[in-house]
């Protein structure tokens, strides 16, 4: 690519939009296509957690830390993203959970994550809205929050100008060297075309992705599947809570799922409550700028996914959130599900492949895509 070149981006989610931001930083003209009127995929359905705390030590943590720094920089010229360095508190309700946290703060990378183990009183002085009963909390100052429902338009507004063309309602249906054709028959050509088509295993990207369910031909029998799989999550949002939460929140179940907490003490955690185990639930809670609470999540791996949402999992998550805050929650205002795709059976943190000369496919960042998107986009333009 030369510095007066053009980059064509397919996909208006956070990966596509961060590619637009980074391409403009490098001086390229940008055309971005989105098949919907605006992004409606995982990027607008998530918590908006820029989540450093749970990332696996090594390259995953490094990518998240780089992304955290980029988010802060980018948000300075796009304040509508709602970026705030609020940090997070993971709350321990039992001694074994506290033991995992003690081990996590003793790890060599605890400083990078800005981890601190807090007593119950210290937890309450950091986040006075926590009036429930608990034994302590893991404070991660490196974590941050953005507003997923408005971050994409805010980033596009910051890009607005003659060098950026946003084309909603355009579905890329054909790809060839350095170009894609949309459903109207218009060709969009660039020095580089980046496909950020999200959790779609059909359509344009489909032939270039291997589903994790089907073992690749070169894998021995019984090997762990590798490729991409999709994950479906349930979420909800309450009406505004009168009080301000100063941090994002997680419950002790999250210690079971995030790789950062893969310490020997984790094996001593008792089994999860049956209802949480059935939906692979962990409580994550983020207060939106209007005071409402985004609460989730669950994890479903077996396709075909349900088309409806399950109340049992919601009952569990709402009870957990209410117990941490020590108050009755405001009424639930909306519920939804979202799907992301993630790479499995590989050390890669996301999928990147060349699908034609001058055309690259970038997807599959899993549950860390909102966090890592700016750093993933940066890697495209290295
Ligand atoms: C419920 C939920 C909670 C999550 N919470 C977090 C979190 O708090 N923090 C975090 O880091 N990550 C989180 N994630 C993960 C994160 O949201 C995803 O990794 C990320 O949003 C993926 O971004 P994307 O741009 O690849 O996909 P998407 O947001 O799905 O965007 C892909 C876009 O491409 C468009 N498209 C597809 N095909 C075409 C085509 N042929 N032509 C034109 N347009 C096309 C689609 O319409 C879509 O808008 C969460 C995910 C979910 C589902």
């Amino acid at each position: 690519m030369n510095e007066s070149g053009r980059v064509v981006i397919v996909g208006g989610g956070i990966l596509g939009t961060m590619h637009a931001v980074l391409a403009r930083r490098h001086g390229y003209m940008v055309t971005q296509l989105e098949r919907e009127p605006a992004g409606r995929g995982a990027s607008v359905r998530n918590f908006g957690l820029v989540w450093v705390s749970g990332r696996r030590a090594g390259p995953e943590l490094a990518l998240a830390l780089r992304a955290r720094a980029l988010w802060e920089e980018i948000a300075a010229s796009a304040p509508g993203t709602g970026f705030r360095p609020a940090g997070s508190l993971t709350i321990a309700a039992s001694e074994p959970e506290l033991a995992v946290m003690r081990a996590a703060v003793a790890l060599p990378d605890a400083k990078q994550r800005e981890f601190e183990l807090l007593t119950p009183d210290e937890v309450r002085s950091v986040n006075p809205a926590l009036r429930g009963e608990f034994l302590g909390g893991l404070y991660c100052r490196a974590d941050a929050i953005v507003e997923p429902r408005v971050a994409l338009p805010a980033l596009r507004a910051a890009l607005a100008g003659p060098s950026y063309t946003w084309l909603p309602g355009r579905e890329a249906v054909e790809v060839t060297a350095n170009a894609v054709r949309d459903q109207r028959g218009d060709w969009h050509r660039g020095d580089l075309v980046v496909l950020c088509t999200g959790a779609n295993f059909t359509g344009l990207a489909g032939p270039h992705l291997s589903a994790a369910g089907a073992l690749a031909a070169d894998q021995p029998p019984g090997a762990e599947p590798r490729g991409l799989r999709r994950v479906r999550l349930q979420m909800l949002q309450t009406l505004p809570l009168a009080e301000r939460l100063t941090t994002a929140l997680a419950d002790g179940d999250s210690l079971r799922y995030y790789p950062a907490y893969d310490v020997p003490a984790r094996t001593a955690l008792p089994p999860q409550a049956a209802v949480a185990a059935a939906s692979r639930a962990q409580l994550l809670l983020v207060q939106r700028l209007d005071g409402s609470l985004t609460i989730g999540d669950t994890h479903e791996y077996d396709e075909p996914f349900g088309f409806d949402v399950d109340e049992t999992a919601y009952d569990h998550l709402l009870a957990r959130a209410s117990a941490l805050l020590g108050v009755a929650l405001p009424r639930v205002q909306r519920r939804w599900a979202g799907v992301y795709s993630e790479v499995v059976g590989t050390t890669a943190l996301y999928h990147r492949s060349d699908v034609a000369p001058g055309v690259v496919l970038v997807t599959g960042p899993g549950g860390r895509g909102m966090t890592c998107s700016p750093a993933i986009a940066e890697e495209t333009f290295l």
Side-chain angles (χ1 to χ4, degrees), residues 8-13 16-17 31-43 45 152 156 164-174 180-184 188 194-206 209 230 339 341 363:
V8 174
I9 295 162
V10 178
T17 306
T31 303
Q32 186 178 9
L33 284 71
E34 164 57 50
R35 66 183 176 189
E36 303 282 346
R40 293 167 65 90
S43 305
R45 296 168 190 239
L152 298 175
R156 291 199 302 271
Y164 173 66
T165 308
W166 163 242
L167 295 177
R170 301 287 191 113
E171 179 165 357
V173 293
E174 185 182 346
V180 285
R181 181 174 64 81
D182 69 29
Q183 86 280 10
R184 298 185 188 181
H188 306 272
V194 190
L195 309 180
C196 297
T197 45
N200 298 283
F201 292 174
T202 56
L204 208 60
L209 299 171
R230 305 201 309 164
V339 175
S341 72
T363 187

Side-chain angles (χ1 to χ4, degrees), residues 14-15 34-35 42-43 46-47 49 172 197 366-371:
I14 195 64
L15 267 186
E34 164 57 50
R35 66 183 176 189
S43 305
N46 63 43
F47 292 97
L49 284 168
T197 45
R368 56 192 166 219
M370 194 68 174
T371 303

Side-chain angles (χ1 to χ4, degrees), residues 13-19 21-22 43 46 48-56 58-72 74 83 113 142-146 155 196 258-259 341 343 347-352 362-381:
I14 195 64
L15 267 186
T17 306
M18 282 299 186
H19 273 86
V21 171
L22 270 291
S43 305
N46 63 43
L49 284 168
V50 178
W51 197 245
V52 170
S53 47
R55 309 273 73 107
R56 190 183 300 280
E60 184 177 334
L61 178 60
L63 189 74
L65 285 166
R66 176 63 188 146
R68 162 72 172 76
L70 282 169
W71 258 115
E72 190 156 13
I74 291 165
F83 177 91
R113 300 174 202 265
D143 286 338
I145 300 172
V146 295
L155 290 168
C196 297
Y258 284 109
S341 72
V343 284
T347 54
L349 299 174
Y350 58 93
H351 173 98
R352 177 188 293 279
V362 184
T363 187
R368 56 192 166 219
M370 194 68 174
T371 303
C372 294
S373 51
I376 293 172
E378 185 177 59
E379 291 184 352
T380 300
F381 298 103

Side-chain angles (χ1 to χ4, degrees), residues 19-339:
H19 273 86
V21 171
L22 270 291
R24 285 295 306 123
R25 277 191 167 196
H26 283 264
Y28 301 114
M29 311 269 282
V30 172
T31 303
Q32 186 178 9
L33 284 71
E34 164 57 50
R35 66 183 176 189
E36 303 282 346
R40 293 167 65 90
S43 305
V44 298
R45 296 168 190 239
N46 63 43
F47 292 97
L49 284 168
V50 178
W51 197 245
V52 170
S53 47
R55 309 273 73 107
R56 190 183 300 280
E60 184 177 334
L61 178 60
L63 189 74
L65 285 166
R66 176 63 188 146
R68 162 72 172 76
L70 282 169
W71 258 115
E72 190 156 13
E73 265 176 53
I74 291 165
S77 44
T81 57
F83 177 91
R84 46 208 187 274
S88 74
L89 280 166
T90 300
I91 303 298
S94 68
E95 273 301 335
E97 288 174 358
L98 212 47
V100 173
M101 294 181 184
R102 260 188 227 109
V105 295
L107 290 172
D109 54 29
K111 205 169 170 191
Q112 286 175 284
R113 300 174 202 265
E114 300 181 58
F115 270 170
E116 196 182 332
L117 188 60
L118 304 184
T119 64
D121 283 345
E122 288 168 338
V123 167
R124 285 185 199 101
S125 79
V126 169
N127 194 337
L130 286 162
R131 298 208 175 75
E133 291 296 316
F134 42 82
L135 301 184
L138 181 63
Y139 190 18
C140 176
R141 285 195 179 82
D143 286 338
I145 300 172
V146 295
E147 292 296 294
R149 289 175 185 245
V150 294
L152 298 175
L155 290 168
R156 291 199 302 271
L159 287 169
S163 301
Y164 173 66
T165 308
W166 163 242
L167 295 177
R170 301 287 191 113
E171 179 165 357
V173 293
E174 185 182 346
V175 61
T176 187
N178 295 91
V180 285
R181 181 174 64 81
D182 69 29
Q183 86 280 10
R184 298 185 188 181
D186 295 339
W187 282 96
H188 306 272
R189 294 177 205 284
D191 300 79
L192 180 69
V193 177
V194 190
L195 309 180
C196 297
T197 45
N200 298 283
F201 292 174
T202 56
L204 208 60
H208 308 285
L209 299 171
S210 67
L215 282 179
D218 60 340
Q219 284 181 267
E224 190 191 343
R226 65 168 194 257
L228 279 142
R229 70 171 170 187
R230 305 201 309 164
V231 185
R232 178 181 181 268
L233 291 75
Q234 283 191 199
M235 306 281 284
L236 66 83
Q237 191 169 340
T238 69
L239 288 169
L241 178 78
E243 196 167 4
R244 200 76 225 152
L245 293 185
T246 55
T247 66
L249 297 177
D251 75 351
D253 279 341
S254 66
L255 301 172
R256 294 180 164 82
Y257 291 113
Y258 284 109
Y261 309 119
D262 192 5
V263 292
R266 182 151 85 168
T267 56
L269 288 175
Q272 260 190 304
V275 55
S279 55
R280 297 179 185 90
Q282 61 177 343
L283 174 72
L284 294 175
L285 188 159
V286 178
Q287 189 171 41
R288 304 269 65 98
L289 287 175
D290 70 354
S292 61
L293 306 176
T294 302
I295 294 175
D297 55 15
T298 60
H299 297 87
E300 187 181 347
Y301 300 102
D302 295 331
E303 297 206 41
F305 296 138
F307 55 82
D308 44 10
V309 290
D310 173 51
E311 278 302 310
T312 315
Y314 282 134
D315 289 345
H316 165 78
L317 291 168
L318 287 165
R320 273 282 164 97
S322 176
L324 282 188
L325 297 176
V327 294
L329 296 179
R331 191 170 82 81
V332 175
Q333 191 181 9
R334 48 176 83 108
R335 299 168 200 264
W336 67 95
V339 175

